Amino acid sequence: MLEALERSALAAGRAIMEIYNTGPAVTYKADTSPVTDADYRAERIILDDLATAFPDIPVIAEEAVAAGHAPHIAGKPFFLVDPLDGTKEFVERNSHFTVNIALIENGAPVAGVVHAPALGVIYATSGGVAFKATVEDNRICGSWQPIGCRKCGDRPLALTSRWHNSAETLVYLAEHRITDHEAVGSSLKFCLLAEGYADIYPRFSRTMEWDTAAGDAILRAAGGETLAIDGGPLAYGKRNQPNDSDFANPWFISRGTA
């Protein structure tokens, strides 16, 4: 399975970079978040690839859901897809945008790929091991290298959202005496925790499941965890929520090895 996800993520990344280099067409959703032709093109590539390789596994994809298309997933494994996570970064020509594909089983992310095409890196997990590789000319170069979370020291480094930081996040950092923090876009935050670059990512603003699933899968495989504010693992496949829309996440804290 992982090889098919990698190929699809690389193909989507190639399409995204073609539009990145020529300039995207930007429109805005009802929530004022931007969406581009790169989002739609990458999602079409991924959906076609997944339908061919895994015709029996339903897919929840960001732009399809926005258009009102969400298949039945109760009791089934399913994919979560964000074809271009960090669209604001993409529009602003920052390199912190990613392609995210994750497999969910029993509410948990068990396999996933995060590809950062502008940075030339790809992260992946399957079978409980996390890996990273370099990408050149839309191909994986060399061998996959295993990655793992680092043990948190006396001066933890926190990662925060570049565009969606919040007062609650700053309060959390102050209460836990975390003075070192860095703003990073997209699902890269999970991957940087997974490879031992940073220690904690508190997220006290809104995210959707497709934003987090692939990165969360990689982080968990690398020895980390993502906990909702009630203390339980962040769950996936949330529908009919009384206080929020389908697939919306609660606030959470991701962290490497304690």
Side-chain angles (χ1 to χ4, degrees):
M1 172 179 285
L2 192 56
E3 184 178 350
L5 301 189
E6 293 161 7
R7 285 198 306 269
S8 189
L10 290 171
R14 179 169 56 251
I16 287 168
M17 291 306 297
E18 289 173 356
I19 296 173
Y20 181 80
N21 291 327
T22 58
V26 184
T27 56
Y28 292 87
K29 300 179 187 179
D31 63 0
T32 74
S33 62
V35 61
T36 73
D37 46 344
D39 295 78
Y40 293 120
R41 184 173 172 189
E43 183 163 299
R44 186 71 265 157
I45 289 169
I46 296 168
L47 290 178
D48 288 347
D49 288 345
L50 294 180
T52 298
F54 313 104
D56 297 327
I57 302 179
V59 182
I60 300 297
E62 179 178 12
E63 306 312 332
V65 171
H69 306 299
H72 179 71
I73 58 170
K76 303 176 182 179
F78 66 96
F79 289 111
L80 274 167
V81 171
D82 190 339
L84 178 49
D85 184 32
T87 301
K88 287 185 178 179
E89 309 284 353
F90 177 78
V91 171
E92 294 292 327
R93 300 194 64 79
N94 185 294
S95 57
H96 290 182
F97 53 87
T98 57
V99 178
N100 300 341
I101 309 172
L103 177 68
I104 308 301
E105 292 182 353
N106 299 317
V110 297
V113 173
V114 173
H115 175 34
L119 295 175
V121 294
I122 187 168
Y123 301 84
T125 182
S126 183
V129 181
F131 299 94
K132 178 184 179 181
T134 300
V135 177
E136 293 182 7
D137 297 324
N138 301 304
R139 296 182 180 180
I140 295 174
C141 300
S143 59
W144 285 93
Q145 298 299 314
I147 58 174
C149 299
R150 71 185 185 185
K151 185 173 179 61
C152 186
D154 295 333
R155 291 193 60 176
L157 174 61
L159 302 178
T160 60
S161 172
R162 186 184 298 274
W163 292 96
H164 303 287
N165 207 358
S166 65
E168 291 85 354
T169 301
L170 298 179
V171 168
Y172 177 89
L173 296 177
E175 288 179 344
H176 291 79
R177 299 181 180 180
I178 299 173
T179 57
D180 297 338
H181 49 90
E182 182 175 331
V184 176
S186 76
S187 61
L188 281 170
K189 294 181 282 294
F190 293 97
C191 299
L192 293 175
L193 294 178
E195 65 177 311
Y197 174 83
D199 303 290
I200 191 165
Y201 164 34
R203 183 61 183 248
F204 300 144
S205 59
R206 199 167 194 263
T207 60
M208 303 299 289
E209 293 183 10
W210 44 76
D211 298 320
T212 62
D216 190 9
I218 291 162
L219 175 60
R220 296 187 195 197
E225 61 184 2
T226 298
L227 303 178
I229 55 174
D230 64 5
L234 188 63
Y236 293 86
K238 301 182 293 294
R239 304 192 80 164
N240 302 312
Q241 301 190 86
N243 299 314
D244 212 334
S245 62
D246 288 356
F247 310 112
N249 285 325
W251 293 355
F252 61 82
I253 298 171
S254 295
R255 58 191 180 191
T257 306

